[in-house]
Amino acid sequence: IEAFVSTDREPISEAIALRAVEMLADNLPLAVADRGNTDALSKVQIAASMGGIAFTNAVLGATHAIAHSVGSLHGLHHGLSNAVALPYVMEYNLETCPARYAALALALGAERGGRSDAEMAVESVARVRALNASIGIPTDFAELGLGGDEATVGDITEAAMNDPCLAFNPRPSEYADIEVLVRRCVTGAL
């Protein structure tokens, strides 16, 4: 998802990223629910490889800046940290590139049904949250033991601001923006 909206994206990374999202939407819940489903597991592995190819060519964004920071400061698993932060960062970026998030909603299985790009962009966030819930991903970092105190939020924000991935996020960000975003990721609060 980050590769698809990255400011450094290009047509090949876009195509690979979008297909990886489709494959994950179709197979990740099956693979988690039934570890014996080798077809679903194989498709998840292929999609993960495709995602890696896409982001190697397009770079990442605020989700990874936050996940890198949470991982280095608090030892949380990188994939889990990305999954928790992703829907919040998507919300944060919606106004910047609604057509891209609308395309992601379609890749995640949504029907357009006459909805605008902005409406579909919001749907993409809902689809990611539903996918996360279906595989047991916590809704925020507090559920993983991180406190929402100012020191914790400040440390994560400072580290995220210094992460090179942030430069490729579609929405340009100042410290205050990222601080609010980090607080949302940690506490879930608006």
Side-chain angles (χ1 to χ4, degrees):
I1 288 174
E2 281 197 293
F4 189 72
V5 300
S6 169
T7 58
D8 208 34
R9 66 188 179 268
E10 40 79 23
I12 294 171
S13 68
E14 290 173 328
I16 294 170
L18 204 56
R19 181 63 183 129
V21 169
E22 291 171 346
M23 290 177 71
L24 287 169
D26 291 343
N27 293 284
L28 186 57
L30 297 171
V32 171
D34 178 7
R35 300 305 242 175
N37 186 334
T38 56
D39 183 58
L41 289 167
S42 296
K43 288 177 180 165
V44 166
Q45 287 300 317
I46 292 166
S49 295
M50 291 169 68
I53 291 166
F55 77 67
T56 298
N57 288 289
V59 195
L60 297 162
T63 301
H64 270 77
I66 292 168
H68 290 151
S69 302
V70 168
S72 67
L73 294 169
H74 299 281
L76 292 181
H77 182 275
H78 182 65
L80 179 60
S81 297
N82 277 291
V84 170
L86 181 60
Y88 295 106
V89 173
M90 290 172 72
E91 283 177 330
Y92 175 78
N93 289 332
L94 284 180
E95 291 180 14
T96 308
C97 49
R100 301 197 84 51
Y101 284 109
L104 286 164
L106 294 170
L108 290 161
E111 297 289 330
R112 178 149 304 258
R115 291 185 281 179
S116 69
D117 280 351
E119 291 167 322
M120 290 296 288
V122 170
E123 178 69 19
S124 73
V125 178
R127 294 264 169 170
V128 167
R129 282 202 166 102
L131 181 62
N132 279 355
S134 76
I135 61 172
I137 301 296
T139 58
D140 54 50
F141 289 121
E143 290 183 41
L144 295 169
L146 264 68
D149 58 278
E150 291 306 307
T152 299
V153 170
D155 289 347
I156 296 168
T157 301
E158 186 67 35
M161 288 299 298
N162 290 310
D163 191 289
C165 289
L166 190 60
F168 300 94
N169 196 65
R171 178 177 169 181
S173 304
E174 300 295 328
Y175 184 93
D177 302 320
I178 298 302
E179 184 178 38
V180 169
L181 179 56
V182 166
R183 188 172 290 108
R184 290 257 306 125
C185 292
V186 172
T187 68
L190 290 173

